[in-house]
Amino acid sequence: MPLPLKRWFILAFVFASIAISFSIAVAAVDWQVIKVNGHDYLTVDNISKFYGMPAEVVPSGAKIQGETANHPLEFVSGSREAVINGARSWLCFPVLEYDGKSLVSRTDVAKTIEPLVRPHRVPNVGKVQTVVLDPGHGGYDKGQVSRYGAEKDFALDVARKLRPILQAKGFKVVMTREGDYFVPLEVRAKIANSAHNSIFVSIHFNATNDDPNATGFEIFSFTPRGAPSTSDSAVNANSAYMQPGSSVDAQSMALSACIYHSLLGQLREYDRGIKRARFAVLRLTKVPAVLIEGGFLTERGESKLISSKDWRAKFAGAIGVGIESYQELPVNKQPPMLVADYRRQAKSAPVDPVSQDGNANDAEGNLKQAGANAKQAGANVKEAGANVKEELGVNVKEADASLLELVGRSALLPQPPQPQKSTPAKTSLESAPIIP
Ligand SMILES: [Zn+2]
């Protein structure tokens, strides 16, 4: 029986209303692409309206800190530096001033801003059963060395502390190394690629010869196709643009955001930002992958902190929370907790026995102890390294059985013995030659 005419009118009206409001919604999100020298850009104003997030462009040369940023989207004129939701985030291309407007490259809107602002909308995001933990370096490759110990030992200790945390959250955990031996970078990537629904988290500590005062956290994911890495100063060098990207770079960026906000929100460290690099382990992994640099072994205060067991436990815990936050993205269907959320939570929570003061005291104690040791033994780095090794119980020679299953025993053996002096520098190791 046909519907009465009146009811048809009502239905038509309802459909028309839906159609009108839908077209308004679509109109509001229209991207107005502006071509400059053949490249596509979008105005900051357009981006701000699209996401419904207030934005600001500060003058070139201005310094912006995440915690003092006035808006959720902060850009610096002529710079690749931005602060997105309270964390420094590096664009692939600088913000361009053109015809009275501030422009952001289309690549950055798609590859940087979108996965950072709406990580929960990245396709296949948060699918993770296995977390592949990759403690950097190992064996003859010590990584960076401070007076308190070596990067390889600190990184392994963080991974060991993180494994039970993740297992308690229901993740399967595979470590690329269980002890003090070197695992080739391609094998580390192979381990991640062989695991089912895996993500890859590489743990490192930083160093620089340029600035003894350099401090802070940074996190890397693979540079998208057609873009330069964050450290590439020659932004106009076209050669970098044609490097292949990764089919999972949006997921990797979402993982970066989840872990980085947790780290910054829970440990008071300088914010160096969410960056892009073509490090070998990021290039060779085919699954969402990040590389964390957990502070500088070349800076006095920070190297003390890193030498503290309690601090490393807190650092591992924050990575664990970040990974869980990544897994929850498709469940919660909303952005992850941000720096400000973590800090608010910490303020309202009861006092944590592992406070920053406690760490400082602990680190101070370690420093005194190390100093005494050095005096007594007349040794410094070697001695401290040995102490740390002993403390961490780094004596495992055999790789994890599950790991061997994944990649085969032959992949891990044999290790070429390397003379100490030829230990590759960090930069050459982590940014091994790019194969186009
Ligand atoms: Zn390293």
Side-chain angles (χ1 to χ4, degrees):
M1 201 176 138
L3 284 167
L5 197 59
K6 203 176 165 192
R7 215 184 273 180
W8 273 116
F9 270 119
I10 292 166
L11 272 178
F13 177 75
V14 167
F15 282 126
S17 309
I18 289 169
I20 289 164
S21 59
F22 183 72
S23 70
I24 289 168
V26 168
V29 300
D30 259 359
W31 287 117
Q32 321 258 311
V33 175
I34 295 172
K35 283 224 181 266
V36 181
N37 296 332
H39 295 287
D40 290 353
Y41 288 89
L42 296 140
T43 66
V44 166
D45 190 48
N46 195 179
I47 296 165
S48 169
K49 289 207 172 96
F50 179 86
Y51 290 110
M53 290 166 73
E56 182 182 38
V57 182
V58 303
S60 158
K63 284 266 161 224
I64 35 170
Q65 293 294 335
E67 35 300 21
T68 57
N70 296 321
H71 301 94
L73 295 173
E74 293 264 342
F75 300 97
V76 183
S77 181
S79 169
R80 296 161 77 184
E81 185 179 354
V83 170
I84 297 174
N85 282 330
R88 201 179 312 279
S89 312
W90 294 88
L91 302 173
C92 299
F93 302 99
V95 170
L96 188 70
E97 297 301 330
Y98 180 80
D99 203 11
K101 296 181 185 98
S102 299
L103 307 181
V104 173
S105 77
R106 181 181 185 151
T107 301
D108 276 307
V109 174
K111 299 285 187 178
T112 311
I113 297 173
E114 170 67 18
L116 288 180
V117 169
R118 304 195 300 191
H120 54 293
R121 293 184 55 158
V122 169
N124 295 319
V125 82
K127 248 194 200 173
V128 38
Q129 279 175 301
T130 306
V131 179
V132 177
L133 294 179
D134 176 44
H137 314 277
Y140 66 83
D141 173 17
K142 290 189 173 72
Q144 303 303 321
V145 179
S146 79
R147 59 190 297 185
Y148 307 110
E151 179 186 358
K152 63 172 184 175
D153 296 323
F154 294 137
L156 179 58
D157 182 59
V158 170
R160 284 179 172 175
K161 286 177 160 61
L162 179 50
R163 173 167 49 184
I165 294 171
L166 291 171
Q167 284 168 336
K169 293 178 196 288
F171 293 101
K172 185 171 182 277
V173 178
V174 174
M175 308 245 294
T176 58
R177 68 180 177 98
E178 294 269 0
D180 186 18
Y181 47 85
F182 185 76
V183 177
L185 302 180
E186 60 274 20
V187 173
R188 298 175 194 238
K190 206 171 162 189
I191 291 165
N193 297 341
S194 318
H196 189 61
N197 281 341
S198 67
I199 58 169
F200 180 85
V201 178
S202 192
I203 299 159
H204 288 254
F205 292 95
N206 228 329
T208 174
N209 295 326
D210 301 337
D211 178 8
N213 299 318
T215 58
F217 288 150
E218 53 192 15
I219 192 165
F220 293 88
S221 64
F222 193 60
T223 312
R225 181 182 171 81
S229 294
T230 307
S231 65
D232 291 342
S233 49
V235 167
N236 290 322
N238 273 320
S239 60
Y241 294 10
M242 289 306 115
Q243 300 293 342
S246 157
S247 60
V248 292
D249 57 32
Q251 286 104 307
S252 295
M253 203 58 173
L255 181 59
S256 264
C258 291
I259 294 177
Y260 198 67
H261 278 274
S262 172
L263 281 174
L264 267 195
Q266 297 186 70
L267 293 109
R268 293 268 169 181
E269 287 285 328
Y270 180 71
D271 168 13
R272 302 182 73 81
I274 297 171
K275 299 184 171 182
R276 286 348 217 295
R278 292 193 167 90
F279 296 147
V281 286
L282 300 180
R283 172 169 48 82
L284 298 170
T285 42
K286 303 294 172 222
V287 301
V290 296
L291 186 145
I292 304 165
E293 290 281 5
F296 281 73
L297 292 171
T298 41
E299 201 273 333
R300 263 183 101 82
E302 211 156 82
S303 62
K304 263 199 284 183
L305 267 187
I306 294 163
S307 76
S308 151
K309 271 189 287 187
D310 288 344
W311 186 89
R312 291 198 300 272
K314 213 171 169 185
F315 178 60
I319 299 172
V321 169
I323 291 171
E324 192 178 28
S325 158
Y326 174 77
Q327 190 195 35
E328 284 168 353
L329 286 174
V331 182
N332 296 343
K333 296 185 169 57
Q334 61 183 28
M337 269 176 75
L338 305 174
V339 178
D341 300 321
Y342 285 108
R343 292 193 177 164
R344 257 196 307 277
Q345 191 185 54
K347 262 186 200 162
S348 59
V351 179
D352 183 351
V354 186
S355 67
Q356 288 287 30
D357 284 351
N359 287 337
N361 289 339
D362 183 15
E364 193 66 44
N366 285 353
L367 173 65
K368 276 187 187 150
Q369 185 62 44
N373 286 348
K375 246 188 199 169
Q376 203 175 24
N380 41 39
V381 173
K382 245 186 185 172
E383 173 83 5
N387 285 348
V388 170
K389 259 179 115 168
E390 196 178 42
E391 177 204 319
L392 304 180
V394 181
N395 52 17
V396 184
K397 291 273 174 270
E398 200 55 51
D400 179 10
S402 60
L403 184 157
L404 288 172
E405 228 170 80
L406 275 170
V407 296
R409 184 169 288 267
S410 62
L412 291 169
L413 303 166
Q415 298 307 318
Q418 296 281 328
Q420 176 111 5
K421 276 189 179 154
S422 72
T423 297
K426 168 178 173 280
T427 43
S428 66
L429 185 82
E430 282 166 24
S431 44
I434 296 158
I435 301 156

